[in-house]
Amino acid sequence: MLQVSYIRENREKVLERLSVRNFKQPELVDEIINTDEERRQVQTSLDNLSAIANSAAKQIGDLMRNGKKEEAEVLKGQTATNKDQHKKLSDQLADAEVKLHSLIVQLPNLPHHLVKTGCTPEENETVLVHGDPAVLSENALPHWELAAKYDIIDFELGVKITGAGFPVYKGKGAKLQRALINFFLDRATEQGYKEMQVPLLVNEASGFGTGQLPDKEGQMYHAGVDNLFLIPTAEVPVTNLYRDVILKEEELPIKNTAYTPCFRREAGSYGAHVRGLNRLHQFDKVEVVQVVHPDKSYEVLEEMSSYVQLLLQQLGLHYRVLRLCGGDLGFTSAMTYDMEVWSAAQQRWLEVSSVSNFETYQSNRLKLRFKGSTGKTQLAHTLNGSALALPRIVASILENNQTEKGIKIPEALVHYTGFDYIS
RNA sequence: GGAGGGAUGCCUGAGUGGCCGAAAGGAACAGUUUGCUAAACUGUCGUACUGGCAACGGUACCGAGGGUUCGAAUCCCUCUCUCUCCGCCA
């Protein structure tokens, strides 16, 4: 959520930045400024009226105490006339505030100046490409066929238990999941991230804090009886740990990591692009989250990007890093790097991580602030990234590492799996 | 699921209609004292909106929303959360 005062004072810049996203409703900006203007006028009138009423009430109290009952009664009669006006103004103020809020949550974050204007994923900038595509034999299989061949992931069984998009991992497939989770958590801990274990269901306030609510309810599973939401990512509970918190400057940066299953309803497209592990309703992910000083957030974004790349390198994967263009940028993000791994068998790039700087967009919703050396409180910056999401990593490992002997487990993982081939 | 408590500032906790944005203690911060540590003493010590160049003001907030009243942390209603006990249970 952008700050009203910022919008008010930087109208042109806000419009210019929103255009980078190809934002469809620039008229919202003026509507916000006008509503805010109205709100402030009403508030000033109301404040003045309240000041008069307060001092009158004080006088009445003094008179009563001194036994001057009649004078008090006269004053009472006078103040009563202001009540209607007071009520009217406070209703107006409440309306203006509700309206302002409903407008301002519709504005996405402003892209950083390095973010290029663009509408579609094709316009994303390729920042770097690492490694070379795996060379596979002609009869290389896509991961869903490998999963069946080695009997390590059972999609049909998941359909029986729950539905499409809820796979059952079996034997070495299950062990590989556990190995990856531990591998990712250990690497994150080495980087100074503190491991957290958090609830998988969150309340509405948390959904609002990180920007899933309002409007994106449809993407989350909802436990209606208790009005709780299954988390779509660990970002939600981990970032909300700091909701309504004022940190000390020296506590920054805060670096947390968490493994959680993630739940996404995401009813959408069908076909090869969502086959197998490409898109699931439930999947496992290790997330890294940082809360940092505003001056440091872009430095930290680069650091987080390098860290995710290090993981991909250790797993021996051929990947590229994209800087998302305005149109492909998430609603709450100011700048995002996507990491994509090449799937030789599917002949396409698979997104395995997304690292974003939200600047103050989340912290303004969360009321996540810090008190600086000057004693002033200001909003912190939040960042997060997947490090990493498992399914497409598993898909890539299966597809790129298929050999005649079976699936070769990356060196760095053998310590965690206890086997070096799935055969 | 049943019964009963509770919600006040960073924490503990007082406050049953005006003198309360809120006692007291603790923590924290600054200073004085001090061989060091500790202690003692003094001061500072919530957030937001708003007016002002500033100094300094105004307003709101004692879980949330509504009501009574000239005036509400305090009285009334509704809701939410939380704790304890019983039951069930990994």
Side-chain angles (χ1 to χ4, degrees):
Chain A
M1 187 166 71
L2 300 176
Q3 292 158 90
V4 188
S5 56
Y6 183 86
I7 299 174
R8 191 200 302 156
E9 286 155 26
N10 302 278
R11 177 180 175 275
E12 300 306 320
K13 188 166 183 207
V14 169
L15 286 170
E16 187 266 318
R17 287 287 93 199
L18 286 175
S19 73
V20 170
R21 277 185 181 272
N22 196 31
F23 183 61
K24 297 286 196 294
Q25 301 164 272
E27 66 278 6
L28 272 180
V29 173
D30 283 330
E31 218 178 315
I32 286 167
I33 292 173
N34 293 337
T35 307
D36 179 52
E37 182 61 32
E38 182 197 332
R39 187 203 108 236
R40 285 191 297 156
Q41 271 177 22
V42 173
Q43 175 150 68
T44 305
S45 311
L46 182 63
D47 283 0
N48 293 337
L49 201 62
S50 298
I52 293 168
N54 285 346
S55 78
K58 205 156 256 176
Q59 277 181 49
I60 292 169
D62 289 339
L63 291 170
M64 298 289 265
R65 224 169 306 116
N66 295 323
K68 297 177 182 168
K69 221 173 169 188
E70 279 156 37
E71 288 178 47
E73 287 303 325
V74 174
L75 254 181
K76 270 196 199 182
Q78 290 172 3
T79 45
T81 59
N82 283 335
K83 279 196 96 178
D84 286 346
Q85 180 67 3
H86 191 277
K87 172 87 178 131
K88 210 179 110 193
L89 283 173
S90 62
D91 285 350
Q92 259 184 50
L93 182 63
D95 288 349
E97 280 172 350
V98 168
K99 185 178 170 195
L100 184 62
H101 185 259
S102 74
L103 289 172
I104 204 159
V105 295
Q106 294 179 54
L107 280 191
N109 203 352
L110 303 178
H112 183 265
H113 70 264
L114 283 176
V115 173
K116 294 277 191 292
T117 306
C119 299
T120 64
E122 285 69 42
E123 293 169 79
N124 293 334
E125 290 173 80
T126 303
V127 177
L128 69 86
V129 180
H130 181 274
D132 300 303
V135 181
L136 301 182
S137 65
E138 275 180 25
N139 47 11
L141 300 172
H143 70 266
W144 50 89
E145 289 182 28
L146 293 164
K149 177 177 171 187
Y150 296 110
D151 194 26
I152 50 174
I153 306 172
D154 195 325
F155 295 96
E156 285 73 28
L157 207 45
V159 169
K160 182 173 86 173
I161 307 299
T162 308
F166 294 89
V168 173
Y169 301 88
K170 298 155 85 173
K172 284 186 173 176
K175 188 79 186 283
L176 179 59
Q177 293 286 114
R178 192 147 57 87
L180 282 164
I181 291 162
N182 286 333
F183 172 71
F184 293 142
L185 282 174
D186 284 354
R187 296 294 83 76
T189 306
E190 281 168 10
Q191 286 292 310
Y193 291 96
K194 184 176 184 177
E195 184 177 343
M196 306 293 247
Q197 206 169 95
V198 292
L200 307 181
L201 287 133
V202 294
N203 56 29
E204 258 180 285
S206 296
F208 176 79
T210 32
Q212 281 73 25
L213 298 175
D215 292 346
K216 295 173 193 64
E217 296 86 343
Q219 296 177 13
M220 289 190 286
Y221 287 97
H222 185 213
V225 181
D226 297 298
N227 195 26
L228 296 172
F229 297 87
L230 274 78
I231 58 170
T233 156
E235 164 194 349
V236 179
V238 175
T239 312
N240 272 281
L241 258 17
Y242 301 93
R243 171 152 48 84
D244 291 321
V245 167
I246 301 179
L247 297 159
K248 291 188 197 125
E249 188 168 351
E250 55 270 25
E251 292 177 87
L252 302 175
I254 284 173
K255 302 174 76 173
N256 286 333
T257 184
Y259 152 70
T260 68
C262 300
F263 303 90
R264 299 198 180 170
R265 292 188 64 227
E266 286 178 347
S269 63
Y270 295 87
H273 281 206
V274 300
R275 276 197 78 170
L277 295 169
N278 288 347
R279 199 182 303 175
L280 300 172
H281 287 307
Q282 177 181 330
F283 62 96
D284 293 299
K285 179 160 66 68
V286 173
E287 184 82 358
V288 289
V289 173
Q290 292 210 35
V291 179
V292 307
H293 191 285
D295 295 346
K296 297 276 169 59
S297 65
Y298 281 94
E299 203 178 298
V300 169
L301 181 66
E302 295 304 318
E303 170 206 312
M304 287 173 81
S305 160
S306 308
Y307 168 62
V308 171
Q309 292 180 51
L310 179 76
L311 295 176
L312 296 172
Q313 288 163 21
Q314 291 187 1
L315 294 175
L317 296 167
H318 170 50
Y319 67 86
R320 67 176 184 180
V321 178
L322 303 177
R323 177 157 47 219
L324 299 189
C325 71
D328 205 28
L329 205 57
F331 192 77
T332 55
S333 174
M335 185 151 116
T336 296
Y337 288 118
D338 270 7
M339 284 69 182
E340 298 187 333
V341 166
W342 179 252
S343 162
Q346 294 183 65
Q347 285 292 300
R348 65 188 194 103
W349 294 98
L350 301 176
E351 182 193 330
V352 293
S353 177
S354 193
V355 183
S356 302
N357 185 358
F358 304 98
E359 297 191 2
T360 59
Y361 195 90
Q362 287 183 333
S363 58
N364 191 32
R365 289 176 159 230
L366 293 159
K367 305 238 178 312
L368 163 49
R369 291 159 292 179
F370 70 95
K371 206 183 274 275
S373 45
T374 58
K376 262 194 70 153
T377 57
Q378 55 176 316
L379 295 169
H381 281 195
T382 60
L383 303 98
N384 68 46
S386 4
L388 288 159
L390 299 221
R392 294 175 194 162
I393 291 292
V394 170
S396 311
I397 290 174
L398 294 182
E399 291 176 357
N400 294 333
N401 294 14
Q402 53 186 307
T403 69
E404 285 182 5
K405 280 178 67 182
I407 309 293
K408 185 171 177 4
I409 301 297
E411 201 73 29
L413 275 184
V414 173
H415 167 68
Y416 290 91
T417 54
F419 49 82
D420 50 10
Y421 275 91
I422 295 174
S423 50

